[in-house]
Amino acid sequence: MLPARAPRPNGVEVSFWLWVTYLAIGAVNAVIGLIQRDRNRADAISAVAAKYPAMDQATIEKLADAVVAGLVVTGMLFVVASFTCALLMRGGRNWARILLTVVGILGIPFMIHRFGTEPQLLFQILLLAGAIAMMYLPPVNEWFRPRRRQI
């Protein structure tokens, strides 16, 4: 029989809510992207046309439509998957904590490269860094340690 798990440390709760805040901003950004799809489509058409001037207009428009739709769908899937992992991390699943860490660490350079240094972006990076740091505080690490069966 496994010993009872200790009460959830505050660091897990703080990390969870930092993740939720970060992901809520991501969800809002995805919705804004959907609302502004015409502007985003025009921007994508301009970018593709500038990079590939020999490409015909119909192909450019199809490519722009795919990019805009793909970004919105990918953003929402990321939010749902990450929120699920945050819930599982909060429930004590160490693999979810590790997956959130990897995704968060890989996401920071992407956000910096892709979006620059807007205040919202800096806030999101701080949320991510805080969420990750809170998941590895000593009491949290102890809580995630595997429990050994008692004989």
Side-chain angles (χ1 to χ4, degrees):
M1 173 183 253
L2 287 176
R5 185 182 291 275
R8 185 173 30 237
N10 287 337
V12 173
E13 281 297 306
V14 171
S15 177
F16 172 76
W17 288 108
L18 289 172
W19 278 108
V20 168
T21 304
Y22 167 75
L23 294 169
I25 293 170
V28 168
N29 287 340
V31 169
I32 289 170
L34 184 62
I35 292 169
Q36 296 179 342
R37 68 184 169 274
D38 291 337
R39 189 187 93 205
N40 293 339
R41 181 179 183 271
D43 291 346
I45 288 171
S46 296
V48 172
K51 187 163 185 163
Y52 303 102
M55 190 180 288
D56 67 285
Q57 189 65 26
T59 304
I60 290 173
E61 290 178 9
K62 286 179 186 176
L63 186 58
D65 289 339
V67 167
V68 171
L71 287 173
V72 171
V73 169
T74 301
M76 289 308 292
L77 288 174
F78 172 79
V79 168
V80 170
S82 296
F83 180 71
T84 302
C85 282
L87 284 171
L88 292 168
M89 178 274 300
R90 186 180 188 209
R93 302 295 194 277
N94 192 47
W95 64 266
R97 174 175 76 145
I98 293 166
L99 185 59
L100 286 169
T101 302
V102 170
V103 168
I105 288 171
L106 291 175
I108 289 172
F110 169 77
M111 289 190 306
I112 291 170
H113 174 71
R114 175 79 171 97
F115 300 109
T117 56
E118 299 170 7
Q120 175 195 332
L121 173 68
L122 294 174
F123 180 64
Q124 285 183 278
I125 290 170
L126 290 174
L127 287 171
L128 263 180
I132 292 168
M134 294 303 289
M135 291 190 301
Y136 291 93
L137 293 175
V140 175
N141 276 334
E142 185 61 36
W143 188 71
F144 276 105
R145 251 191 201 82
R147 296 172 289 156
R148 305 283 182 210
R149 292 196 183 273
Q150 293 178 335
I151 300 174

Tab-separated table of all heavy atoms in Angstrom, residues 24-51:
chain	number	residue	atom	x	y	z
A	24	ALA	N	-4.512	31.896	-19.901
A	24	ALA	CA	-5.669	32.758	-20.179
A	24	ALA	C	-5.272	33.875	-21.142
A	24	ALA	O	-6.029	34.211	-22.070
A	24	ALA	CB	-6.225	33.338	-18.878
A	25	ILE	N	-4.106	34.435	-20.936
A	25	ILE	CA	-3.608	35.466	-21.862
A	25	ILE	C	-3.438	34.854	-23.258
A	25	ILE	O	-3.800	35.466	-24.261
A	25	ILE	CB	-2.292	36.083	-21.352
A	25	ILE	CG1	-2.552	36.877	-20.075
A	25	ILE	CG2	-1.652	36.970	-22.430
A	25	ILE	CD1	-1.290	37.314	-19.363
A	26	GLY	N	-2.901	33.640	-23.312
A	26	GLY	CA	-2.748	32.958	-24.603
A	26	GLY	C	-4.088	32.712	-25.278
A	26	GLY	O	-4.215	32.873	-26.500
A	27	ALA	N	-5.102	32.332	-24.499
A	27	ALA	CA	-6.437	32.099	-25.064
A	27	ALA	C	-7.023	33.404	-25.601
A	27	ALA	O	-7.615	33.430	-26.691
A	27	ALA	CB	-7.353	31.476	-24.014
A	28	VAL	N	-6.856	34.479	-24.849
A	28	VAL	CA	-7.347	35.787	-25.304
A	28	VAL	C	-6.634	36.186	-26.597
A	28	VAL	O	-7.268	36.673	-27.541
A	28	VAL	CB	-7.162	36.857	-24.198
A	28	VAL	CG1	-7.382	38.262	-24.744
A	28	VAL	CG2	-8.098	36.580	-23.032
A	29	ASN	N	-5.328	35.967	-26.652
A	29	ASN	CA	-4.575	36.286	-27.873
A	29	ASN	C	-5.066	35.470	-29.063
A	29	ASN	O	-5.145	35.984	-30.183
A	29	ASN	CB	-3.082	36.066	-27.670
A	29	ASN	CG	-2.449	37.133	-26.807
A	29	ASN	OD1	-2.988	38.222	-26.652
A	29	ASN	ND2	-1.307	36.823	-26.233
A	30	ALA	N	-5.405	34.197	-28.837
A	30	ALA	CA	-5.921	33.358	-29.922
A	30	ALA	C	-7.279	33.869	-30.400
A	30	ALA	O	-7.544	33.914	-31.611
A	30	ALA	CB	-6.017	31.903	-29.470
A	31	VAL	N	-8.130	34.280	-29.467
A	31	VAL	CA	-9.434	34.821	-29.844
A	31	VAL	C	-9.263	36.132	-30.607
A	31	VAL	O	-9.930	36.369	-31.620
A	31	VAL	CB	-10.338	35.008	-28.595
A	31	VAL	CG1	-11.585	35.803	-28.921
A	31	VAL	CG2	-10.701	33.650	-28.010
A	32	ILE	N	-8.348	36.977	-30.138
A	32	ILE	CA	-8.070	38.230	-30.846
A	32	ILE	C	-7.559	37.925	-32.260
A	32	ILE	O	-7.954	38.581	-33.227
A	32	ILE	CB	-7.070	39.105	-30.062
A	32	ILE	CG1	-7.747	39.663	-28.810
A	32	ILE	CG2	-6.517	40.235	-30.927
A	32	ILE	CD1	-6.790	40.334	-27.839
A	33	GLY	N	-6.706	36.919	-32.377
A	33	GLY	CA	-6.221	36.515	-33.699
A	33	GLY	C	-7.359	36.074	-34.601
A	33	GLY	O	-7.361	36.366	-35.801
A	34	LEU	N	-8.340	35.397	-34.027
A	34	LEU	CA	-9.503	34.966	-34.802
A	34	LEU	C	-10.343	36.172	-35.216
A	34	LEU	O	-10.768	36.275	-36.369
A	34	LEU	CB	-10.342	33.988	-33.976
A	34	LEU	CG	-11.547	33.372	-34.665
A	34	LEU	CD1	-11.092	32.548	-35.864
A	34	LEU	CD2	-12.321	32.505	-33.687
A	35	ILE	N	-10.543	37.100	-34.291
A	35	ILE	CA	-11.322	38.301	-34.589
A	35	ILE	C	-10.626	39.149	-35.650
A	35	ILE	O	-11.279	39.715	-36.537
A	35	ILE	CB	-11.560	39.123	-33.298
A	35	ILE	CG1	-12.499	38.348	-32.368
A	35	ILE	CG2	-12.107	40.506	-33.608
A	35	ILE	CD1	-12.589	38.920	-30.966
A	36	GLN	N	-9.314	39.237	-35.576
A	36	GLN	CA	-8.546	40.064	-36.514
A	36	GLN	C	-8.007	39.253	-37.688
A	36	GLN	O	-6.999	39.610	-38.282
A	36	GLN	CB	-7.387	40.732	-35.779
A	36	GLN	CG	-7.821	41.698	-34.719
A	36	GLN	CD	-6.646	42.331	-33.992
A	36	GLN	OE1	-5.526	41.826	-34.044
A	36	GLN	NE2	-6.901	43.422	-33.310
A	37	ARG	N	-8.682	38.179	-38.023
A	37	ARG	CA	-8.159	37.292	-39.062
A	37	ARG	C	-7.988	37.980	-40.410
A	37	ARG	O	-7.074	37.670	-41.157
A	37	ARG	CB	-8.989	36.029	-39.167
A	37	ARG	CG	-10.383	36.226	-39.687
A	37	ARG	CD	-11.182	34.912	-39.680
A	37	ARG	NE	-12.572	35.160	-39.940
A	37	ARG	CZ	-13.472	35.483	-39.030
A	37	ARG	NH1	-13.116	35.586	-37.777
A	37	ARG	NH2	-14.722	35.707	-39.353
A	38	ASP	N	-8.867	38.942	-40.738
A	38	ASP	CA	-8.717	39.630	-42.021
A	38	ASP	C	-7.422	40.439	-42.060
A	38	ASP	O	-6.690	40.412	-43.055
A	38	ASP	CB	-9.923	40.542	-42.281
A	38	ASP	CG	-11.195	39.750	-42.542
A	38	ASP	OD1	-11.090	38.577	-42.955
A	38	ASP	OD2	-12.293	40.300	-42.304
A	39	ARG	N	-7.141	41.158	-40.974
A	39	ARG	CA	-5.889	41.920	-40.912
A	39	ARG	C	-4.688	40.981	-40.910
A	39	ARG	O	-3.695	41.213	-41.602
A	39	ARG	CB	-5.861	42.796	-39.660
A	39	ARG	CG	-4.677	43.763	-39.699
A	39	ARG	CD	-4.493	44.523	-38.434
A	39	ARG	NE	-3.526	43.733	-37.656
A	39	ARG	CZ	-3.431	43.752	-36.345
A	39	ARG	NH1	-4.227	44.483	-35.632
A	39	ARG	NH2	-2.528	43.028	-35.730
A	40	ASN	N	-4.784	39.892	-40.127
A	40	ASN	CA	-3.681	38.924	-40.076
A	40	ASN	C	-3.479	38.257	-41.432
A	40	ASN	O	-2.344	37.993	-41.830
A	40	ASN	CB	-3.946	37.873	-39.001
A	40	ASN	CG	-3.909	38.458	-37.609
A	40	ASN	OD1	-3.325	39.512	-37.378
A	40	ASN	ND2	-4.547	37.789	-36.665
A	41	ARG	N	-4.587	38.003	-42.132
A	41	ARG	CA	-4.496	37.404	-43.464
A	41	ARG	C	-3.783	38.364	-44.417
A	41	ARG	O	-2.910	37.964	-45.185
A	41	ARG	CB	-5.893	37.078	-43.981
A	41	ARG	CG	-5.916	36.429	-45.346
A	41	ARG	CD	-7.370	36.123	-45.760
A	41	ARG	NE	-7.400	35.444	-47.018
A	41	ARG	CZ	-7.456	36.057	-48.200
A	41	ARG	NH1	-7.457	37.375	-48.270
A	41	ARG	NH2	-7.489	35.349	-49.313
A	42	ALA	N	-4.139	39.644	-44.358
A	42	ALA	CA	-3.498	40.640	-45.220
A	42	ALA	C	-2.008	40.743	-44.910
A	42	ALA	O	-1.183	40.826	-45.833
A	42	ALA	CB	-4.177	42.002	-45.046
A	43	ASP	N	-1.668	40.696	-43.614
A	43	ASP	CA	-0.252	40.729	-43.229
A	43	ASP	C	0.480	39.493	-43.758
A	43	ASP	O	1.609	39.585	-44.231
A	43	ASP	CB	-0.105	40.801	-41.708
A	43	ASP	CG	-0.551	42.139	-41.138
A	43	ASP	OD1	-0.716	43.105	-41.923
A	43	ASP	OD2	-0.734	42.204	-39.906
A	44	ALA	N	-0.175	38.335	-43.651
A	44	ALA	CA	0.444	37.095	-44.136
A	44	ALA	C	0.625	37.130	-45.651
A	44	ALA	O	1.659	36.700	-46.178
A	44	ALA	CB	-0.396	35.886	-43.719
A	45	ILE	N	-0.364	37.663	-46.363
A	45	ILE	CA	-0.259	37.774	-47.826
A	45	ILE	C	0.924	38.670	-48.193
A	45	ILE	O	1.721	38.335	-49.072
A	45	ILE	CB	-1.579	38.295	-48.434
A	45	ILE	CG1	-2.644	37.193	-48.365
A	45	ILE	CG2	-1.382	38.769	-49.874
A	45	ILE	CD1	-4.042	37.657	-48.732
A	46	SER	N	1.044	39.787	-47.501
A	46	SER	CA	2.157	40.709	-47.776
A	46	SER	C	3.505	40.046	-47.509
A	46	SER	O	4.446	40.187	-48.284
A	46	SER	CB	2.029	41.964	-46.916
A	46	SER	OG	0.870	42.671	-47.251
A	47	ALA	N	3.595	39.314	-46.394
A	47	ALA	CA	4.856	38.665	-46.031
A	47	ALA	C	5.239	37.591	-47.042
A	47	ALA	O	6.405	37.505	-47.458
A	47	ALA	CB	4.758	38.065	-44.631
A	48	VAL	N	4.271	36.775	-47.448
A	48	VAL	CA	4.563	35.709	-48.412
A	48	VAL	C	4.916	36.313	-49.768
A	48	VAL	O	5.865	35.877	-50.425
A	48	VAL	CB	3.374	34.724	-48.529
A	48	VAL	CG1	3.594	33.740	-49.668
A	48	VAL	CG2	3.171	33.984	-47.219
A	49	ALA	N	4.169	37.330	-50.187
A	49	ALA	CA	4.437	37.965	-51.488
A	49	ALA	C	5.822	38.612	-51.502
A	49	ALA	O	6.519	38.570	-52.527
A	49	ALA	CB	3.365	39.003	-51.795
A	50	ALA	N	6.234	39.186	-50.377
A	50	ALA	CA	7.561	39.805	-50.317
A	50	ALA	C	8.667	38.759	-50.373
A	50	ALA	O	9.709	38.969	-51.001
A	50	ALA	CB	7.687	40.634	-49.033
A	51	LYS	N	8.426	37.610	-49.713
A	51	LYS	CA	9.454	36.581	-49.674
A	51	LYS	C	9.506	35.761	-50.971
A	51	LYS	O	10.568	35.304	-51.379
A	51	LYS	CB	9.221	35.668	-48.473
A	51	LYS	CG	10.340	34.685	-48.259
A	51	LYS	CD	10.304	34.085	-46.884
A	51	LYS	CE	11.523	33.216	-46.697
A	51	LYS	NZ	11.806	32.910	-45.333
